[in-house]
Amino acid sequence: VVSTQSTGVWIYPRNCSEDVEEAANLLNLDLNSTLEFTSAPPAPLPKSLTLRELLSEYLDIASIPSRLFFEICGNFAVDELEKEKFDEFISLLGREELYSYVSRPRRTILEVLADFHSVRANLDIRYLFDFVPLIRPRGFSIASAQCVNRDRLEICMAVVRYRTIMKKERIGLCSNYLAKLAIDSHVKLFAEPGSFKFPTDRPIIMVGPGTGCAPFRSLIQSRADTPQQLILFFGCRGERSDYFFKSEWENVPNLRVITAFSRDQDRKIYVQHRIVEHGALVWGALAQGAVFCVAGNSKNMPFQVKDALIKVSCDHGKLTQSEGEKYVELLVRNRLYQTETW
């Protein structure tokens, strides 16, 4: 049961059946055989499960192997060339070689096992838990308000697919798991409160490029047709391809959406540019005690948005650069500037 206070949901993905079958073939495993633990199993595993369940639901067999993986697997190599390669990978001088082999092409555990036949031929399944990590739940902001539909939970998700220098397609484990689910499938998940605290008595300025708009969509649904002023800076690549919830937001009277489509013109335009362009609107809302909220990718965007807000405070609040920086830090300390990034 999802609490009405929740803003985040954590979903446990499963490995695709093709990877599970490949793992079984590489390690010569019978997927229908049962694994019994004589002592307490690693959380959250049950005391008894089939190898199919283990490889499907618990072991992250498609993840990128760590250095520890090579330290342990090297003990199972009986082929001299393979053993030398593993020794090289874990040596100080072999760091660049290991990076080129694993990290640069995003090579997976399954692909490494496929490359080293003597390791997989001699691998003891009891050691799988030592070097294959457990599947971690993936977090998403809830993009729907329970006051609109108590029995429905929605997320806003980008399906991750890309190619590496190996020219082989890579996919995001959780996003592709969810994208392939049939209707009425069961999903293992849990919910918990997010970091945003949305007041009801003051304007809210939201900055949510891409799927960062998810927590704000939930807020907008719950505050539609109220006197509260809502301002959303939404950014994506193109209006036709990525403008989520456009028709829905056009019908919210107390919401103003300011868009930044980065690829729809020669000059790339991002949300931070729109914040500066609409500095008078932003500063006016802040003067009324507005809360400024930022959600989305944590790489560069949050820092660029903060710089844009500092510029707004300088341009429209007549502050110096130093005073503008202190003003934004004061907003942060007073919870009037909040972030939820990943």
Side-chain angles (χ1 to χ4, degrees):
V1 177
V2 179
S3 165
T4 56
Q5 299 299 312
S6 292
T7 57
V9 62
W10 292 83
I11 297 174
Y12 287 91
R14 299 178 63 165
N15 290 308
C16 65
S17 58
E18 294 84 358
D19 283 348
V20 173
E21 294 291 341
E22 182 181 357
N25 291 332
L26 287 172
L27 300 175
N28 194 27
L29 300 176
D30 176 5
L31 292 173
N32 295 318
S33 62
T34 300
L35 181 65
E36 300 276 355
F37 290 93
T38 56
S39 58
L45 274 69
K47 290 206 69 173
S48 175
L49 73 169
T50 65
L51 290 182
R52 185 181 300 278
E53 291 171 328
L54 176 67
L55 295 175
S56 297
E57 302 177 37
Y58 296 103
L59 292 184
D60 201 352
I61 53 179
S63 62
I64 311 303
S66 65
R67 189 172 181 273
L68 179 62
F69 171 92
F70 290 92
E71 289 182 10
I72 296 175
C73 282
N75 295 318
F76 297 100
V78 294
D79 180 274
E80 284 302 318
L81 290 178
E82 290 188 5
K83 193 168 185 60
E84 287 178 11
K85 198 65 179 176
F86 273 89
D87 289 341
E88 179 185 1
F89 282 153
I90 64 176
S91 69
L92 290 176
L93 295 178
R95 285 182 176 178
E96 182 59 34
E97 185 71 18
L98 181 61
Y99 177 82
S100 297
Y101 175 68
V102 175
S103 301
R104 186 172 288 126
R106 308 292 292 172
R107 201 181 302 268
T108 68
I109 286 175
L110 288 180
E111 289 169 336
V112 174
L113 291 175
D115 285 348
F116 295 92
H117 68 88
S118 78
V119 171
R120 65 177 187 267
N122 292 280
L123 188 63
D124 189 329
I125 188 175
R126 292 175 298 178
Y127 288 89
L128 281 178
F129 301 102
D130 292 329
F131 64 84
V132 179
L134 295 175
I135 293 176
R136 295 177 295 104
R138 270 60 167 180
F140 298 89
S141 295
I142 294 177
S144 56
Q146 287 199 316
C147 62
V148 175
N149 190 333
R150 187 171 181 81
D151 299 322
R152 187 180 183 91
L153 185 155
E154 298 179 4
I155 63 174
C156 184
M157 178 192 76
V159 180
V160 178
R161 290 182 179 273
Y162 62 97
R163 292 187 182 276
T164 68
I165 59 173
M166 291 173 64
K167 306 301 181 185
K168 185 172 181 180
E169 186 180 55
R170 301 299 186 206
I171 62 174
L173 178 61
C174 192
S175 63
N176 282 272
Y177 160 68
L178 292 175
K180 293 177 180 179
L181 282 178
I183 295 174
D184 291 331
S185 297
H186 287 82
V187 176
K188 185 179 178 182
L189 57 81
F190 65 92
E192 66 179 18
S195 60
F196 284 135
K197 304 296 181 185
F198 298 124
T200 58
D201 59 348
R202 59 183 67 201
I204 299 179
I205 302 170
M206 302 162 281
V207 183
T211 57
C213 69
F216 304 135
R217 192 225 182 189
S218 174
L219 170 71
I220 292 165
Q221 284 187 343
S222 65
R223 306 288 171 86
D225 298 318
T226 69
Q228 188 172 27
Q229 181 187 18
L230 303 175
I231 302 168
L232 171 64
F233 289 90
F234 173 76
C236 61
R237 291 187 176 187
E239 181 175 9
R240 292 187 176 182
S241 58
D242 305 304
Y243 192 173
F244 310 133
F245 316 119
K246 177 184 177 182
S247 59
E248 179 181 316
W249 287 338
E250 287 174 344
N251 296 311
V252 180
N254 57 319
L255 170 67
R256 179 172 180 181
V257 181
I258 299 168
T259 55
F261 304 119
S262 62
R263 306 295 173 87
D264 281 358
Q265 61 285 311
D266 292 335
R267 181 175 72 91
K268 291 184 178 180
I269 299 175
Y270 298 107
V271 286
Q272 61 266 27
H273 301 133
R274 295 304 195 203
I275 291 170
V276 173
E277 290 174 14
H278 294 269
L281 173 68
V282 171
W283 187 252
L286 289 172
Q288 298 176 52
V291 175
F292 193 98
C293 301
V294 184
N297 190 292
S298 62
K299 189 174 181 182
N300 296 315
M301 182 272 298
F303 304 102
Q304 295 164 339
V305 166
K306 182 175 282 190
D307 288 342
L309 188 57
I310 292 171
K311 180 169 175 53
V312 167
S313 70
C314 295
D315 293 345
H316 299 274
K318 307 304 179 184
L319 304 180
T320 65
Q321 178 68 23
S322 176
E323 289 171 338
E325 292 172 359
K326 291 179 181 178
Y327 168 75
V328 173
E329 288 307 312
L330 183 63
L331 293 180
V332 173
R333 288 199 299 273
N334 291 330
R335 295 283 294 167
L336 295 174
Y337 186 105
Q338 304 176 32
T339 61
E340 191 171 285
T341 57
W342 50 87

PDB file of all heavy atoms in Angstrom, residues 244-255:
ATOM      1  N   PHE A 244       6.298  15.930 -22.419  1.00  0.00           N
ATOM      2  CA  PHE A 244       5.396  15.121 -21.614  1.00  0.00           C
ATOM      3  C   PHE A 244       4.237  15.969 -21.073  1.00  0.00           C
ATOM      4  O   PHE A 244       4.436  17.123 -20.681  1.00  0.00           O
ATOM      5  CB  PHE A 244       6.127  14.493 -20.426  1.00  0.00           C
ATOM      6  CG  PHE A 244       7.401  13.775 -20.794  1.00  0.00           C
ATOM      7  CD1 PHE A 244       8.561  13.986 -20.068  1.00  0.00           C
ATOM      8  CD2 PHE A 244       7.440  12.897 -21.863  1.00  0.00           C
ATOM      9  CE1 PHE A 244       9.736  13.320 -20.391  1.00  0.00           C
ATOM     10  CE2 PHE A 244       8.605  12.231 -22.199  1.00  0.00           C
ATOM     11  CZ  PHE A 244       9.758  12.450 -21.460  1.00  0.00           C
ATOM     12  N   PHE A 245       3.050  15.395 -21.033  1.00  0.00           N
ATOM     13  CA  PHE A 245       1.888  15.967 -20.356  1.00  0.00           C
ATOM     14  C   PHE A 245       1.468  17.336 -20.896  1.00  0.00           C
ATOM     15  O   PHE A 245       0.810  18.114 -20.200  1.00  0.00           O
ATOM     16  CB  PHE A 245       2.137  16.076 -18.835  1.00  0.00           C
ATOM     17  CG  PHE A 245       2.766  14.854 -18.233  1.00  0.00           C
ATOM     18  CD1 PHE A 245       4.009  14.906 -17.611  1.00  0.00           C
ATOM     19  CD2 PHE A 245       2.111  13.630 -18.307  1.00  0.00           C
ATOM     20  CE1 PHE A 245       4.592  13.774 -17.057  1.00  0.00           C
ATOM     21  CE2 PHE A 245       2.686  12.487 -17.750  1.00  0.00           C
ATOM     22  CZ  PHE A 245       3.931  12.547 -17.123  1.00  0.00           C
ATOM     23  N   LYS A 246       1.839  17.655 -22.134  1.00  0.00           N
ATOM     24  CA  LYS A 246       1.540  18.981 -22.689  1.00  0.00           C
ATOM     25  C   LYS A 246       0.057  19.304 -22.628  1.00  0.00           C
ATOM     26  O   LYS A 246      -0.344  20.353 -22.097  1.00  0.00           O
ATOM     27  CB  LYS A 246       2.031  19.052 -24.136  1.00  0.00           C
ATOM     28  CG  LYS A 246       1.686  20.372 -24.824  1.00  0.00           C
ATOM     29  CD  LYS A 246       2.103  20.374 -26.292  1.00  0.00           C
ATOM     30  CE  LYS A 246       1.690  21.673 -26.960  1.00  0.00           C
ATOM     31  NZ  LYS A 246       2.044  21.688 -28.401  1.00  0.00           N
ATOM     32  N   SER A 247      -0.783  18.424 -23.185  1.00  0.00           N
ATOM     33  CA  SER A 247      -2.216  18.712 -23.237  1.00  0.00           C
ATOM     34  C   SER A 247      -2.826  18.784 -21.845  1.00  0.00           C
ATOM     35  O   SER A 247      -3.758  19.553 -21.594  1.00  0.00           O
ATOM     36  CB  SER A 247      -2.935  17.650 -24.081  1.00  0.00           C
ATOM     37  OG  SER A 247      -2.735  16.353 -23.529  1.00  0.00           O
ATOM     38  N   GLU A 248      -2.301  17.985 -20.937  1.00  0.00           N
ATOM     39  CA  GLU A 248      -2.803  17.993 -19.562  1.00  0.00           C
ATOM     40  C   GLU A 248      -2.509  19.310 -18.887  1.00  0.00           C
ATOM     41  O   GLU A 248      -3.375  19.905 -18.221  1.00  0.00           O
ATOM     42  CB  GLU A 248      -2.162  16.839 -18.801  1.00  0.00           C
ATOM     43  CG  GLU A 248      -2.562  16.715 -17.351  1.00  0.00           C
ATOM     44  CD  GLU A 248      -1.867  15.557 -16.654  1.00  0.00           C
ATOM     45  OE1 GLU A 248      -1.787  14.455 -17.245  1.00  0.00           O
ATOM     46  OE2 GLU A 248      -1.394  15.742 -15.514  1.00  0.00           O
ATOM     47  N   TRP A 249      -1.291  19.805 -19.040  1.00  0.00           N
ATOM     48  CA  TRP A 249      -0.885  21.035 -18.366  1.00  0.00           C
ATOM     49  C   TRP A 249      -1.528  22.271 -18.974  1.00  0.00           C
ATOM     50  O   TRP A 249      -1.691  23.289 -18.290  1.00  0.00           O
ATOM     51  CB  TRP A 249       0.633  21.150 -18.394  1.00  0.00           C
ATOM     52  CG  TRP A 249       1.299  20.184 -17.461  1.00  0.00           C
ATOM     53  CD1 TRP A 249       0.742  19.582 -16.376  1.00  0.00           C
ATOM     54  CD2 TRP A 249       2.643  19.716 -17.527  1.00  0.00           C
ATOM     55  NE1 TRP A 249       1.653  18.767 -15.752  1.00  0.00           N
ATOM     56  CE2 TRP A 249       2.844  18.816 -16.441  1.00  0.00           C
ATOM     57  CE3 TRP A 249       3.714  19.940 -18.389  1.00  0.00           C
ATOM     58  CZ2 TRP A 249       4.042  18.169 -16.191  1.00  0.00           C
ATOM     59  CZ3 TRP A 249       4.919  19.304 -18.146  1.00  0.00           C
ATOM     60  CH2 TRP A 249       5.087  18.429 -17.072  1.00  0.00           C
ATOM     61  N   GLU A 250      -1.904  22.200 -20.234  1.00  0.00           N
ATOM     62  CA  GLU A 250      -2.539  23.355 -20.877  1.00  0.00           C
ATOM     63  C   GLU A 250      -3.889  23.677 -20.252  1.00  0.00           C
ATOM     64  O   GLU A 250      -4.402  24.785 -20.416  1.00  0.00           O
ATOM     65  CB  GLU A 250      -2.702  23.096 -22.382  1.00  0.00           C
ATOM     66  CG  GLU A 250      -1.395  23.166 -23.155  1.00  0.00           C
ATOM     67  CD  GLU A 250      -1.556  22.763 -24.615  1.00  0.00           C
ATOM     68  OE1 GLU A 250      -2.597  22.142 -24.940  1.00  0.00           O
ATOM     69  OE2 GLU A 250      -0.658  23.075 -25.413  1.00  0.00           O
ATOM     70  N   ASN A 251      -4.449  22.724 -19.534  1.00  0.00           N
ATOM     71  CA  ASN A 251      -5.780  22.898 -18.953  1.00  0.00           C
ATOM     72  C   ASN A 251      -5.761  23.160 -17.455  1.00  0.00           C
ATOM     73  O   ASN A 251      -6.787  23.017 -16.786  1.00  0.00           O
ATOM     74  CB  ASN A 251      -6.637  21.658 -19.245  1.00  0.00           C
ATOM     75  CG  ASN A 251      -6.888  21.471 -20.733  1.00  0.00           C
ATOM     76  OD1 ASN A 251      -7.280  22.412 -21.419  1.00  0.00           O
ATOM     77  ND2 ASN A 251      -6.654  20.267 -21.240  1.00  0.00           N
ATOM     78  N   VAL A 252      -4.593  23.521 -16.908  1.00  0.00           N
ATOM     79  CA  VAL A 252      -4.480  23.850 -15.484  1.00  0.00           C
ATOM     80  C   VAL A 252      -4.411  25.369 -15.355  1.00  0.00           C
ATOM     81  O   VAL A 252      -3.396  25.981 -15.718  1.00  0.00           O
ATOM     82  CB  VAL A 252      -3.235  23.193 -14.855  1.00  0.00           C
ATOM     83  CG1 VAL A 252      -3.137  23.547 -13.362  1.00  0.00           C
ATOM     84  CG2 VAL A 252      -3.267  21.682 -15.035  1.00  0.00           C
ATOM     85  N   PRO A 253      -5.453  26.012 -14.854  1.00  0.00           N
ATOM     86  CA  PRO A 253      -5.522  27.481 -14.881  1.00  0.00           C
ATOM     87  C   PRO A 253      -4.488  28.197 -14.025  1.00  0.00           C
ATOM     88  O   PRO A 253      -4.070  29.311 -14.358  1.00  0.00           O
ATOM     89  CB  PRO A 253      -6.948  27.772 -14.384  1.00  0.00           C
ATOM     90  CG  PRO A 253      -7.360  26.557 -13.628  1.00  0.00           C
ATOM     91  CD  PRO A 253      -6.680  25.403 -14.299  1.00  0.00           C
ATOM     92  N   ASN A 254      -4.057  27.592 -12.935  1.00  0.00           N
ATOM     93  CA  ASN A 254      -3.108  28.266 -12.036  1.00  0.00           C
ATOM     94  C   ASN A 254      -1.664  27.856 -12.305  1.00  0.00           C
ATOM     95  O   ASN A 254      -0.769  28.113 -11.491  1.00  0.00           O
ATOM     96  CB  ASN A 254      -3.456  27.995 -10.575  1.00  0.00           C
ATOM     97  CG  ASN A 254      -3.484  26.505 -10.242  1.00  0.00           C
ATOM     98  OD1 ASN A 254      -3.974  25.700 -11.017  1.00  0.00           O
ATOM     99  ND2 ASN A 254      -2.950  26.144  -9.079  1.00  0.00           N
ATOM    100  N   LEU A 255      -1.425  27.217 -13.463  1.00  0.00           N
ATOM    101  CA  LEU A 255      -0.074  26.761 -13.821  1.00  0.00           C
ATOM    102  C   LEU A 255       0.430  27.524 -15.042  1.00  0.00           C
ATOM    103  O   LEU A 255      -0.286  27.657 -16.049  1.00  0.00           O
ATOM    104  CB  LEU A 255      -0.091  25.262 -14.140  1.00  0.00           C
ATOM    105  CG  LEU A 255       1.188  24.683 -14.771  1.00  0.00           C
ATOM    106  CD1 LEU A 255       2.339  24.723 -13.770  1.00  0.00           C
ATOM    107  CD2 LEU A 255       0.941  23.253 -15.269  1.00  0.00           C
TER     108      LEU A 255
END
